[in-house]
Amino acid sequence: AIRALMARIWEVVFNIQPEGNNKSYVVQLSVDGKRSGIPTRALKVNDFLQRNSVKLKEGDIVEPSVDTDIDADDFRINVYRAKPVTIIDGTRRIQALSAATTPRAIAAQAGVSVHAEDRISQANPKDVLRDQVLGSELIIERATPVNLNLYGTPVTVRTHATTVAELLKEKNVTIAGSDTVMPVANTPITNDLQIFITRVGTKIETATE
């Protein structure tokens, strides 16, 4: 009975269990801005967190992942707590919790798909009640999709350009003297606009089957 009691005290005080893994490692745990060195015989990150009563909430990030093996001294575990964020995507307002540190990573963690050409900015709301924003504010400016047909090769591009001429300059499309552009260069960019660039001697035909 005394031996069992001593084993239990050893487990509670030092967070070490005599059964299972024979090796004890010191883990450097960082959570809520505080770092501490804790000896453990836990085999996995998740097991270690449970033994130390570190509860994970929605949106929290653990590095390394919870299924990582603990196999060395000074093994570092970082827990980043999620914070509320309001994502404004056009007319959509999405409230989420995220511990990510970059705007694109926050959008990805919230399940919002963005393209490389989309612009994302992050700021703190000036008036929380008026703007109905929870936490920080993430604003997504979507690029406009355009269907570009370059000498018979169709490709979909996305842009923040306002005219056809600006788009061609942005995408580094060089127009030769004999090339034709349809519609004309000063045409405003709209969703799914069809732009054809053709060369003398090349004919573009569209057929529906």
Side-chain angles (χ1 to χ4, degrees), residues 1-147:
I2 295 177
R3 181 176 296 179
L5 178 60
M6 292 300 295
R8 180 57 181 164
I9 293 174
W10 185 264
E11 175 186 346
V12 172
V13 175
F14 296 100
N15 192 38
I16 297 175
Q17 292 185 357
E19 298 85 4
N21 185 12
N22 292 324
K23 293 184 178 180
S24 174
Y25 296 116
V26 175
V27 171
Q28 300 295 332
L29 173 65
S30 176
V31 58
D32 295 330
K34 299 179 181 179
R35 182 175 292 278
S36 55
I38 303 173
T40 186
R41 290 185 186 272
L43 300 177
K44 301 278 187 179
V45 170
N46 188 48
D47 185 21
F48 173 82
L49 295 177
Q50 290 179 355
R51 293 188 187 192
N52 288 276
S53 301
V54 179
K55 296 182 179 180
L56 300 179
K57 300 178 181 179
E58 179 185 353
D60 289 350
I61 294 177
V62 180
E63 295 179 349
S65 60
V66 293
D67 58 352
T68 302
D69 293 331
I70 297 176
D71 55 6
D73 268 331
D74 288 329
F75 189 90
R76 296 182 181 274
I77 299 177
N78 298 309
V79 178
Y80 301 98
R81 294 300 189 186
K83 298 179 180 179
V85 60
T86 299
I87 301 174
I88 301 175
D89 183 11
T91 58
R92 298 172 61 202
R93 300 175 73 89
I94 304 166
Q95 293 183 341
L97 293 170
S98 176
T101 56
T102 66
R104 289 187 180 274
I106 292 173
Q109 190 176 11
V112 179
S113 177
V114 293
H115 298 89
E117 298 86 353
D118 295 334
R119 295 173 181 168
I120 308 178
S121 59
Q122 187 176 9
N124 292 321
K126 296 180 179 179
D127 191 326
V128 176
L129 295 178
R130 182 196 64 192
D131 298 335
Q132 296 182 346
V133 171
L134 180 64
S136 62
E137 184 179 67
L138 199 71
I139 302 175
I140 301 177
E141 297 179 65
R142 295 289 185 180
T144 304
V146 174
N147 299 309

Side-chain angles (χ1 to χ4, degrees), residues 157-182:
V157 298
R158 295 177 182 274
T159 183
H160 289 278
T162 57
T163 65
V164 170
E166 289 181 9
L167 169 64
L168 298 181
K169 182 178 180 180
E170 177 187 277
K171 301 302 180 182
N172 296 316
V173 178
T174 302
I175 306 300
S178 59
D179 292 348
T180 59
V181 179
M182 296 177 56

